[in-house]
Amino acid sequence: MKSFNVFMVDDSIDPKKVISKLDSLPGWSLSYIFIGILGVGYFFTFYDIFNINVSFVQTAVEIIPNTLSITGPKFSYIEELLGYATLIQLIGYAIGTLILSPLSDKYGRRDMLLITMSLAAIGSLITVFTQNFIEFSAARFITGLGIGADIAIVYTYVSEVSPIGKRAAYGSIIFLFAALGSITAVWLGLYLTTPAAPIPLGLPFAIGGPGKFGGVIGWRLMYVVGAVLGLIGVLLRFELPESPRWLVSKGRIKEADNIVNNMMERIKKRTGKDIKILDNINVNVVPNASPYREILGNRMYLKRLVMLLFIWFIGYMAVYILAAGFTGILGSIGYTYAGGGFVVAVGSFGFIAAAIIPTYFGEHLHRREWLPIGATITLIGGLMIAFSGKTFFLSALGAIIAFCGFNIWVPVIEVWTTENFPARSRTTGFAFVDGVGHIGGGAGVLLVAYLLLLSVSPVIIFIMIAVFLFIPSAIARFGVKTNRARMDEISP
């Protein structure tokens, strides 16, 4: 007999056996092309986030009145506007992830990944044609709607198809694409939107100065590139299979079993070895689950939600102060905007280390231990910059270290976040803490803008950033250990 609730449940195959086979897979069992497909989307997401770090000065000078003085751009005013623009985008991020991500728990990961990336690409395209700050902010809001939900769904999907003991590794591999996207955005922004200047004051071949090709349209070209990247991401995602864990949670057992069997065959062909199937564990099949009710109505998941919300809200204050406001902090030391942008561009290579290190060592430590590691590394890099005396080598080295520090904890804690919620509401839980947490990021950007207006020492600012990572470190001590554990045991 097939039972009915709201959806038909296929009970011809035991869901426990499907999940046991999935948990038994020793390595990545989908096509490796799918890592690249998900990675392209993540590349676009972080390209868009870091785009504004360098290009916004040119944006402001062209479309916002009163951003020029006799001596040049009014950087303090621009930093304030940047704070508001970033906050508006992050509000869109929060709204998008809170509304769109739960639809992934109801209707599937794959289809929503197509919708969220499409929305982000449309927002980037609209930005190209904006003529004033209100239009620019509205376009950034639309982009944020798509980006917020997309990050939540991507990490949920990767965690659900990754093998036990390697979820942090594959989450970090996806994060490597984020690093490459941010690096591309910063360097392309220097090339297209800043005037030519000798190294280390800028790029000698930059085309963003007066009379140059990118002099007034460079920042628009940046968003054209973003829209194209988003479109490529959408087209590639049509090839993705649905998450078997989600299918099982919805009672679509036969579909899930077919996908898992294909995954097993791929691993067998790749390794030439049979797969030892793990013991069955309890699996909840709740076809008509209400994602928010599943979390808010369960005391264990509600506790996890509150803990993770504080971690992300405060942690994102540190991340976005540097992700969107790093150039402004360097300006307080005495760098020009182009010179500060060049230091940020060099420092962005630390982002790659932030992805590679947890790829190899993410499973060797409790997830929460990466927070104090990130805080310590960030503080070391920040203090090197603050005491560099505007010496380029020390500033650049400090920026590389700081970039590594404020990003190294992110992929591991993102994986940890997905592990703390059940498949029937996993994206919703991630989306809630990540989306609301990003409001903290917007608040952090505004905070640093006002601190710069008050001429607060960069030493104090970098200590404050480190504190914003040490506080979540203390909160995370209450979290559950998930390394090498089965997801349905962590979150039944």
Side-chain angles (χ1 to χ4, degrees):
M1 290 290 292
K2 294 187 182 293
S3 59
F4 290 83
N5 201 337
V6 174
F7 296 90
M8 178 181 292
V9 177
D10 177 8
D11 57 4
S12 61
I13 301 172
D14 188 347
K16 297 178 184 178
K17 292 182 178 179
V18 178
I19 294 300
S20 292
K21 288 191 291 185
L22 181 60
D23 285 343
S24 302
L25 297 173
W28 182 263
S29 49
L30 295 173
S31 170
Y32 286 120
I33 294 173
F34 293 148
I35 296 177
I37 289 174
L38 293 166
V40 168
Y42 227 58
F43 183 101
F44 162 75
T45 296
F46 277 76
Y47 171 91
D48 186 89
I49 290 172
F50 277 80
N51 175 352
I52 202 169
N53 203 318
V54 177
S55 68
F56 188 70
V57 169
Q58 192 188 75
T59 305
V61 168
E62 187 191 348
I63 69 173
I64 303 173
N66 303 318
T67 53
L68 278 174
S69 64
I70 296 176
T71 57
K74 298 177 181 177
F75 290 130
S76 59
Y77 179 49
I78 290 173
E79 283 300 315
E80 184 178 357
L81 291 172
L82 173 60
Y84 285 117
T86 303
L87 179 59
I88 290 168
Q89 178 169 347
L90 293 179
I91 291 173
Y93 183 115
I95 293 173
T97 197
L98 291 173
I99 294 175
L100 297 177
S101 297
L103 298 179
S104 167
D105 285 329
K106 289 184 71 69
Y107 303 113
R109 317 297 192 214
R110 174 189 173 274
D111 290 348
M112 285 308 300
L113 281 171
L114 297 174
I115 292 171
T116 55
M117 183 53 60
S118 297
L119 188 58
I122 290 169
S124 191
L125 183 61
I126 293 173
T127 308
V128 176
F129 302 102
T130 56
Q131 299 298 320
N132 54 59
F133 186 66
I134 293 176
E135 292 178 1
F136 179 84
S137 298
R140 294 293 78 210
F141 178 84
I142 293 170
T143 308
L145 289 174
I147 285 177
D150 199 75
I151 288 177
I153 302 170
V154 165
Y155 258 92
T156 297
Y157 185 93
V158 171
S159 293
E160 289 184 340
V161 299
S162 294
I164 295 174
K166 295 183 180 179
R167 289 189 293 267
Y170 284 105
S172 299
I173 289 173
I174 296 298
F175 198 67
L176 179 59
F177 285 89
L180 296 174
S182 67
I183 290 171
T184 301
V186 173
W187 281 95
L188 190 60
L190 273 179
Y191 175 66
L192 289 176
T193 70
T194 65
I199 295 173
L201 301 177
L203 287 180
F205 49 86
I207 60 172
K212 298 285 187 178
F213 174 74
V216 294
I217 65 168
W219 70 274
R220 296 186 189 275
L221 294 176
M222 293 285 291
Y223 291 103
V224 170
V225 172
V228 171
L229 287 170
L231 175 61
I232 292 172
V234 171
L235 296 176
L236 291 175
R237 286 180 176 186
F238 278 99
E239 300 297 318
L240 291 171
E242 185 53 84
S243 163
R245 292 187 194 276
W246 179 81
L247 288 169
V248 167
S249 75
K250 293 300 175 184
R252 294 162 60 177
I253 315 301
K254 188 173 182 179
E255 292 177 63
D257 193 51
N258 287 337
I259 294 173
V260 172
N261 287 337
N262 288 334
M263 294 167 76
M264 293 183 71
E265 286 301 315
R266 184 174 285 108
I267 286 287
K268 287 180 181 178
K269 288 180 180 179
R270 193 179 295 160
T271 64
K273 299 177 181 179
D274 290 329
I275 298 170
K276 183 180 179 181
I277 306 300
L278 298 175
D279 293 336
N280 290 344
I281 59 174
N282 289 329
V283 175
N284 284 317
V285 178
V286 191
N288 61 335
S290 172
Y292 279 115
R293 190 181 302 127
E294 287 290 314
I295 295 173
L296 300 179
N298 184 300
R299 186 174 180 182
M300 178 178 71
Y301 294 135
L302 181 59
K303 279 182 167 182
R304 294 180 180 183
L305 184 86
V306 172
M307 177 196 70
L308 289 164
L309 178 59
F310 278 107
I311 289 172
W312 283 113
F313 189 93
I314 302 170
Y316 271 143
M317 293 184 76
V319 168
Y320 275 88
I321 286 174
L322 292 174
F326 212 149
T327 308
I329 298 173
L330 291 166
S332 71
I333 298 173
Y335 282 95
T336 64
Y337 215 86
F342 188 75
V343 173
V344 171
V346 174
S348 64
F349 286 102
F351 209 147
I352 294 179
I356 291 176
I357 293 171
T359 297
Y360 290 98
F361 301 105
E363 297 291 344
H364 294 276
L365 298 173
H366 191 308
R367 309 281 195 238
R368 65 192 181 200
E369 302 300 337
W370 290 93
L371 278 160
I373 289 172
T376 303
I377 295 173
T378 303
L379 182 59
I380 292 171
L383 293 180
M384 284 183 65
I385 295 169
F387 292 111
S388 68
K390 203 183 162 187
T391 301
F392 172 74
F393 175 78
L394 289 178
S395 296
L397 181 59
I400 291 172
I401 294 171
F403 255 93
C404 178
F406 80 85
N407 285 295
I408 196 169
W409 62 277
V410 174
V412 180
I413 301 301
E414 284 183 326
V415 169
W416 194 39
T417 301
T418 66
E419 294 167 334
N420 272 273
F421 301 105
R424 59 191 177 275
S425 55
R426 182 165 288 130
T427 311
T428 300
F430 185 106
F432 188 92
V433 299
D434 185 69
V436 177
H438 268 78
I439 303 299
V445 175
L446 280 177
L447 174 62
V448 79
Y450 284 114
L451 291 176
L452 292 173
L453 282 173
L454 296 172
S455 299
V456 173
S457 165
V459 174
I460 300 299
I461 293 176
F462 280 114
I463 291 175
M464 177 189 70
I465 292 169
V467 169
F468 287 155
L469 291 178
F470 279 119
I471 292 174
S473 302
I475 297 172
R477 305 305 299 179
F478 298 98
V480 61
K481 186 175 181 179
T482 61
N483 303 53
R484 299 181 177 87
R486 300 174 69 174
M487 295 189 81
D488 289 275
E489 288 181 325
I490 302 166
S491 302

